Amino acid sequence: MANPDDNLTWGRSTVETVCSLDCPDTCSLEVTLEKGRIVAIDGSDKHAVTDGYICGKVRRFGERVYGDTRLRHPLVREGTRGEGRFRRASWDEALGTIATRMIEIRDRWGAEAILPFSYGGSNGLLTQDTVDARLFRQFGTSRLARTVCAIPTSTANQALYGKMAGVTYPDYQHARLIVIWGANPSSSGIHLVPHIKAAQQAGAALVVLDPRRTNLARQADIHLALQPGTDVVVALSIHRYLFEHDLADQQFLAEHTHGAEQLRERAAPWTFDRAAEVAGLDPELLENFAEMYADISPAVLRCGWGLERNRNGGNAALAVLALPTVAGKFGVRGGGYSMSNSGAWNLSPDTWIDTPEPDTRIVNMNLLGKALLEYHDPPIQMLFVYNCNPVATMPNQNRVLKGLAREDLFTVVFEQVMTDTAQLADVVLPATTFLESYDVAKSYGLTNLQLVRPVIDAVEEARPNVEVFAELATRLGLDAGRDQATDAEALLHLASVLPDEIRQPLMDTGVVVGVADGTPIQFVDVFPRTPDGKVQLFPEELERESPAGLYRYREDPATSDYPLTLISPATEKTICSTLGELRTRVASLQMHPDDADARELSTGDTARMFNALGEVHCPVTRNADMRRGTVGLPKGLWRMSTFNGSTANALVSDDLTDIGGGAVFNDARVEVARVMRASFDKQNLALWTADPVKPVH
């Protein structure tokens, strides 16, 4: 009788790899295979911080790999655009068609009429900005400003600190005060949560700033449910308090900063009463938070990305990230701030891309709809989409859809599954997932690099990014893929240009821990990477860029016609829009009971949420955890997840943030009206209100 512990006898094996999806944690994984097929995905203990447990999203990733929507071979459109009719094609035909069209467009319109469109949040160092960047640079296409996420916060962090490495998860246990501002680790970055709870058990206080009562907000000592877009004035009121009450660390400011006086001047008008009135807060509660932040050390501030998604997003990030400098919270373990540690290694694609960028047109990706419809010098004749699903993720969804509907636009979508964007393509190319190819994952919550190894063969005809762009380059007469025809070759090329202290452990063990054993103390182990090594509290270049200047507040865009603020937070079900195809239930609009009562809405009613840009039809869930005046629909929804095929992004303008040219998703102002009363059939209610909270009746 066979030994059941003999995996080979039973055709069962376990392979280790790393999750490269767009999350701060980069979990190490154990993938169980049976006869070469994934049967389970679990965490491994190879990564000390993620330590054997993973989120439910990644546990389900096998459903994407083998699901009905998986792209298994190239497709060419038949019939009218958007009809969803495609025929199977060979790789030779698909790439030949693309190469021919690219050359025709270049010869007639110029190569700038081609727009590569990508956003690599769920990609490592190989699957974006390697051979693809070489190809598009050599061909001379338009360039893309990847601004849909993290650009206002990143710009602020870069200007203030040069993206100095921040406090990592394990050191939260040393803090006596933890501030979570614009982040929800329970849905995104789950491995921070145990460290926060451990700190609380040791006596640490917790403050959460979020318009929703999230899981952590329920456990917080103070929850400030501020109006979206007002983070900047709340932070400035704390700066004012620190300066006016001699609680600013003057010695630290004198030795390590520039611009403290300008910051003090801009903060001066923002009393607690004024800031609280604008933000819709209790001024006494705001003052209590400021007193705690001044008095308690070590104090760590986790700055998330939620606060950047509005017209004041860049200035909000500046004001929030400047707080530990003014309050003197650095120099101790568990003190300082966390933002993104993606810059900890100081690695840039220019290190391994030996083709300089051409001086061609730059298109802000948030303006995709406008670019497709209104740019004429030259007009965009070809859109090459990869590592991105713009129909689900870009602002002004209806304008994007109108642009993609152009019959004279040739659209290529290189994707893992049949997305809403792929449905509108002329040619669809099947891409591998992170479980089918090599990559190098760079954590931005921690400070490590990890080697992503393929655990299965590519599903049917799916191919890695590197391989496809290398072959396309050859067909175009370019040498972009000359030494990187496969992802394995690209890995070796990347390793050859990395410093020895990175290359050796990465190739030997698959893990490079990072600076200061992965847990740096700011201003002890790591320092600002600004030109003179000092914190720039008032960066003049951003003062010139910002429409109203630095540390300024631009008024709420709400009107009497559209009084409600729509937010689209991340959830525990998707990574942005990735895995959106697995959602089987219609998403529901989360609404405070008082706002629902004012509109005679009950849980399960079908509502029409609308503004001048469009409308969304979906069920309502009465949710007392929402801030009054604020409604929520999940981030990254696919069109099938509402009744009318529009998502929250249909109601978001393509206006830009004050700094960095980011998206203003949380500036959508809407009204909500009932379309149909619920039947109160319990089974249907369960389908409609499955997430993210229990209905409040």
Side-chain angles (χ1 to χ4, degrees), residues 470-522:
E471 184 174 340
L472 181 58
T474 299
R475 290 171 180 267
L476 293 169
L478 306 174
D479 66 353
R482 60 188 178 274
D483 53 358
Q484 300 175 60
T486 66
D487 57 341
E489 289 179 359
L491 176 62
L492 292 174
H493 174 79
L494 174 65
S496 72
V497 300
L498 292 175
D500 288 343
E501 63 271 20
I502 298 177
R503 178 177 61 252
Q504 206 63 48
L506 182 67
M507 302 305 286
D508 288 349
T509 67
V511 179
V512 189
V513 174
V515 294
D517 294 325
T519 57
I521 300 174
Q522 293 172 316

Side-chain angles (χ1 to χ4, degrees), residues 5 81 164 206 266 291 494 561:
D5 293 327
R81 191 180 303 280
M164 174 176 62
L206 175 64
R266 296 285 166 93
E291 290 173 348
L494 174 65
D561 289 335

Side-chain angles (χ1 to χ4, degrees), residues 33 47 79 105 143 153 231 285 293 316 397 430 542 653:
L33 308 178
H47 191 313
I105 291 171
R143 292 176 288 164
T153 44
D231 305 80
L285 205 58
Y293 192 69
Q397 185 180 58
L542 296 190
S653 79

Side-chain angles (χ1 to χ4, degrees), residues 117 157 177 498 547 587 621 672 675 693:
F117 200 89
N157 194 4
L177 172 65
L498 292 175
T621 295
V672 178
V675 173
V693 293

Side-chain angles (χ1 to χ4, degrees), residues 196-210:
I196 294 173
K197 291 183 176 179
Q200 287 182 286
Q201 290 169 2
L206 175 64
V207 177
V208 174
L209 294 95
D210 194 299

